[in-house]
Amino acid sequence: MFFPMKLRVPQVYLLLFFLLIVHFDALTLTQKSDKSSALVPAIIVFGDSIVDPGNNNVINTLVKCDFPPYGIDFVDQMPTGRFCDGRIPSDLIASKLGVKELLPAYLDPNLEPQDLLTGVSFASGGAGYDPITSETAHVISMDDQLELYKEYQEKLRAIGGDAIAENIISKGLHVICVGSDDIANTYFPTLFRKLQYDIPSYADLVVNYASRFFQELIKLGARKIGIVGIPPIGCVPSQRTLAGGLFRECAPFHNQLAELVNSKLNQEIQRLGSIYQGTLLVYINIYDTLLDIIQNPDKYGLLEVSILCNSLTSFVCANVSDHVFWDSYHPTERAYQILVDVAIDDVLPLIIS
């Protein structure tokens, strides 16, 4: 090391120590600045595989993706249990709102106490508003996700005290993203509900279950709730193959049910908003944007569909991030990024108000 003037050895150590202190202080200030720039104190997520960062890894279910090639575009190309090539919407929302880059799974065995303070995801791939959907997939039901949330609240109080816990719960953004599996895995392929309910009445059933969930969440202290509508589930590759006919067109009845649920869900959100004064309930529309991405992928610089993601039966194309879909059901990180940017920008003024 070259110094412009002659220094004794102790002086060199002192100088190095001083430089380390300056570097540490600068790093600390940066971290504080980043945290202070967050638009909400925490992101807390409930739902299905769209926002499950790995909760299913530790439960007894076949609905898992903690193996390659999942995670091929994630940090260190690591499969984490996210149903994607990279990050999922819960991560992207947390990042976009300045909270943190990755939103962890609540059941992650490596979760640190400080991770809880900025939020987690309770979501479980295969879950639905309809309890039968979760039961048949052997995953964490929406009711059980609420039980985990109660446990989480107690941990927050133990870590930070009542005041900090209350601030996180009341000012944190709660996101609910679920419902696709009720249509794709319960209503159309099985007789569990179809014998009792036509499409309109099943939509009513789903929204009734959804409303109960929202109200329980409000009772537990949530005051900022973003409810994601169902995507055009009839246009995902698996449903086009199963119900889209010879030319694999979008399955019309699947989309009809999705649109009907979304319409009724939006009405119910408005109704609850008028009842629970002081609670923000926001409907987040992803149906129209995702449908446009699927129908006009070149408009977004994407290709329509990738291949089924399974290392035992298929290869992974080199340009997977250029596609709309990662596997037969889930979009790529790049498609999710476009979707999240549009959806959050639409409701951001309400979220930070």
Side-chain angles (χ1 to χ4, degrees):
M1 181 178 292
F2 175 77
F3 293 97
M5 56 182 172
K6 192 173 181 180
L7 296 175
R8 295 178 181 176
V9 173
Q11 290 175 306
V12 173
Y13 289 151
L14 286 172
L15 179 59
L16 288 173
F17 180 75
F18 174 76
L19 291 173
L20 285 172
I21 292 296
V22 170
H23 174 73
F24 178 79
D25 286 344
L27 181 61
T28 302
L29 286 172
T30 300
Q31 290 173 335
K32 287 180 179 178
S33 175
D34 288 344
K35 186 175 181 180
S36 65
S37 66
L39 299 179
V40 291
I43 305 292
I44 300 162
V45 176
F46 306 86
D48 57 23
S49 60
I50 303 299
V51 287
D52 178 3
N55 286 308
N56 279 15
N57 293 354
V58 296
I59 64 173
N60 186 22
T61 179
L62 295 176
V63 187
K64 295 178 185 284
C65 62
D66 54 342
F67 51 84
Y70 285 94
I72 194 171
D73 291 319
F74 198 73
V75 180
D76 297 327
Q77 296 187 317
M78 182 182 297
T80 60
R82 289 168 169 83
F83 292 78
C84 190
D85 61 306
R87 293 177 298 167
I88 55 177
S90 45
D91 299 317
L92 300 172
I93 293 170
S95 177
K96 190 172 181 66
L97 297 184
V99 178
K100 53 188 173 184
E101 287 304 304
L102 299 172
L103 194 74
Y106 177 68
L107 297 181
D108 183 346
N110 298 314
L111 197 69
E112 298 289 341
Q114 62 267 26
D115 294 328
L116 300 175
L117 298 175
T118 47
V120 293
S121 173
F122 301 96
S124 179
Y129 285 121
D130 185 345
I132 286 181
T133 302
S134 302
E135 289 171 14
T136 55
H138 301 287
V139 298
I140 307 168
S141 69
M142 298 305 288
D143 283 346
D144 287 341
Q145 290 182 36
L146 276 179
E147 291 303 312
L148 291 176
Y149 179 57
K150 293 176 186 177
E151 179 183 274
Y152 164 78
Q153 290 188 346
E154 291 304 312
K155 289 181 179 179
L156 284 181
R157 294 185 180 98
I159 295 168
D162 290 343
I164 288 177
E166 174 63 23
N167 183 68
I168 292 169
I169 294 165
S170 63
K171 296 184 180 178
L173 176 62
H174 296 68
V175 178
I176 304 157
C177 180
V178 68
S180 298
D181 292 319
D182 294 324
I183 297 173
N185 295 341
T186 297
Y187 187 75
F188 285 104
T190 75
L191 297 178
F192 293 133
R193 296 299 193 189
K194 200 182 296 184
L195 293 178
Q196 292 177 279
Y197 302 92
D198 59 10
I199 287 177
S201 59
Y202 186 66
D204 287 334
L205 180 72
V206 168
V207 172
N208 284 339
Y209 278 121
S211 181
R212 284 169 47 184
F213 181 88
F214 305 154
Q215 292 180 75
E216 286 300 314
L217 197 56
I218 293 169
K219 290 176 184 177
L220 291 171
R223 293 297 177 264
K224 286 189 175 185
I225 305 173
I227 296 135
V228 181
I230 299 175
I233 192 66
C235 294
V236 305
S238 63
Q239 304 310 303
R240 290 168 68 169
T241 298
L242 294 171
L246 182 62
F247 297 102
R248 297 186 69 250
E249 297 175 336
C250 293
F253 294 115
H254 291 62
N255 282 353
Q256 178 189 350
L257 180 50
E259 289 186 277
L260 195 54
V261 170
N262 287 342
S263 176
K264 292 175 180 290
L265 196 61
N266 198 4
Q267 292 173 19
E268 180 63 8
I269 289 168
Q270 293 180 40
R271 187 186 75 83
L272 293 177
S274 66
I275 296 173
Y276 294 96
Q277 299 293 325
T279 297
L280 174 69
L281 293 109
V282 179
Y283 175 73
I284 302 175
N285 174 26
I286 62 169
Y287 186 101
D288 295 331
T289 304
L290 185 54
L291 184 62
D292 192 45
I293 293 173
I294 293 169
Q295 294 178 338
N296 304 288
D298 55 329
K299 175 179 169 183
Y300 299 90
L302 295 172
L303 303 172
E304 181 197 4
V305 64
S306 183
I307 53 176
L308 184 64
C309 174
N310 186 319
S311 61
L312 299 178
T313 60
S314 69
F315 64 93
V316 178
C317 56
N319 62 336
V320 63
S321 62
D322 291 339
H323 292 77
V324 175
F325 287 98
W326 159 246
D327 59 17
S328 65
Y329 201 84
H330 304 95
T332 59
E333 177 184 337
R334 187 171 170 193
Y336 277 142
Q337 184 71 72
I338 296 168
L339 196 61
V340 167
D341 283 346
V342 173
I344 294 300
D345 287 347
D346 283 346
V347 300
L348 190 58
L350 296 173
I351 292 172
I352 63 175
S353 61

